[in-house]
């Protein structure tokens, strides 16, 4: 009995990491992504500054975040994921407090330096970096679960920000939300993000043993990644897809109000988020490990093309068609974030995957920072142009992502025959 107890394999730690990353995503998106649209009217009401000025600060927040995301893999390599995540929580807390306390426009833009860093280091690339070391074959399910924290962040924080600002003022709301983020992420990072599979004697997916590393794509060091067609098509397709998504979502509620009223439009926005969770979870758990994920992403874009066209066909008056369009468009919302890291896992060598994901995320974030303004300009011409533009851009994204189907995707996991034993082999000295 003592011998059996000593050799018992500890429970797989990876799913605990997934739920920790889920919580990071709740705070990261709830504060860094869904927060600025609520901050804009709050600052405008308190300071009386032009909406265009505050909107420029929101764009600056996302652009600065894109610069950080592009270098996130290097930051994780130098300082460690725990230190970077804790620094991000502090930066987010002080950044949004800076937004609330800014007495001059330059102070508002200075605050975006902190809030942009906080958003970048708790966003999509960061979640991928937390989860990926623990999963290979089941990475699709793990990432979809972790990324659902982003959708929950929108569901929780969007109304919470409004309520807290009404009760405590912008500064009080920022202090409370930022303090909660620091406390939660400081503890979670040390407890769940510090261990690695090797430090616990475990392998990806909780398998009982590891095997030889699978043969995959050739490494692409330095600038070689930027000359690689697989990377360029993935970055371009993701940027196009998210540009269309963010642009349409930013105006969707106000477009639905004439036909559905404020309460109905709010319900429709919530329905889109629920559909995003359902679509991401379903595809994440059902997508086979060997499936070509570029085709899956193209299908997601095609589904959103259908949703955009149904919204166009509604003519701003047919409530059933408007709801159907919201459902179709919403089903693809989550997968546009979770599928690119899975494509990178298939298309690139393991050493390049984290950097490729970070750079794809940075490119898409830099693109969608301008989407609300661009779609707003289209709206001044004619509202149907928004839906036509969204459909055309999503169709282009589908074509681009299929422009480089990987003929020999690297295996997502080692074959069962390669597994033996129950502990990692000890290094020979």
């Amino acid at each position: 009995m003592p011998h059996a107890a000593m050799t018992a394999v500890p429970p797989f730690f990876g799913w605990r990491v997934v739920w920790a990353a889920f919580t990071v995503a709740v705070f990261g998106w709830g504060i860094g992504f869904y927060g600025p649209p609520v901050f804009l009217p709050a600052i405008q009401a308190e300071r009386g500054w032009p909406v265009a000025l505050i909107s420029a600060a929101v764009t600056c927040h996302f652009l600065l975040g894109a610069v950080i995301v592009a270098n996130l893999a290097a930051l994780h390599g130098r300082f460690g994921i725990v230190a970077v995540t804790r620094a991000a929580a502090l930066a987010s807390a002080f950044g949004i407090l800076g937004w609330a306390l800014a007495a001059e426009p330059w102070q508002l833009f200075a605050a975006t330096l902190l809030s942009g860093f906080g958003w970048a280091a708790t966003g999509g690339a960061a979640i991928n970096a937390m989860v990926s070391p623990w999963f290979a074959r089941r990475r699709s399910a793990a990432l979809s679960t972790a990324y659902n924290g982003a959708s929950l962040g929108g569901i929780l924080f969007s109304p919470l920000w409004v309520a807290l600002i009404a009760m405590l003022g912008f500064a009080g709301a920022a202090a409370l939300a930022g303090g909660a983020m620091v406390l939660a992420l400081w503890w979670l990072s040390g407890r769940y993000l510090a261990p690695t599979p090797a430090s616990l004697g475990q392998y990806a997916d909780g398998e009982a043993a590891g095997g030889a590393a699978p043969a995959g794509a050739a490494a692409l060091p330095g600038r070689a990644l930027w000359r690689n067609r697989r990377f360029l098509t993935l970055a371009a397709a993701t940027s196009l897809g998210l540009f269309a998504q963010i642009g349409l979502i930013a105006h969707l509620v106000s477009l639905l109000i004439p036909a559905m009223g404020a309460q109905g439009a709010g319900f429709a926005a919530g329905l889109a988020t629920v559909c995003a969770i359902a679509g991401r979870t379903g595809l994440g758990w059902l997508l086979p490990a060997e499936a070509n994920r570029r085709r899956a992403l193209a299908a997601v874009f095609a589904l959103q093309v259908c949703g955009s066209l149904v919204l166009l066909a509604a003519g701003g008056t047919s409530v059933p068609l408007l709801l159907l369009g919201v459902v179709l468009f919403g089903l693809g919302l989550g997968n546009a974030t979770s599928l690119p890291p899975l494509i990178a896992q298939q298309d690139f060598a393991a050493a390049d995957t984290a950097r490729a994901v970070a750079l794809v995320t940075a490119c898409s974030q830099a693109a969608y920072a301008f989407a609300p303004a661009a779609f707003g300009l289209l709206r001044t011409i004619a509202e149907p142009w928004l839906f036509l533009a969204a459909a055309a851009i999503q169709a282009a994204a589908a074509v681009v992502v299929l422009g480089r189907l990987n003929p020999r995707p690297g295996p997502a996991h080692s074959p069962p025959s390669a597994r033996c034993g129950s502990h990692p082999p000890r290094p020979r000295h």
Side-chain angles (χ1 to χ4, degrees), residues 51 90 118 122 189 329 372:
V51 172
L90 289 169
T122 54
S189 298
F329 196 83

Side-chain angles (χ1 to χ4, degrees), residues 3 35 37 52 100 159 174 199 216 231 247 262 279-280 286 292 298 332 348 367 370 395 397 424:
H3 177 72
S199 70
F231 171 78
R280 181 193 287 126
L286 297 176
N292 191 299
F348 305 109
F370 298 97

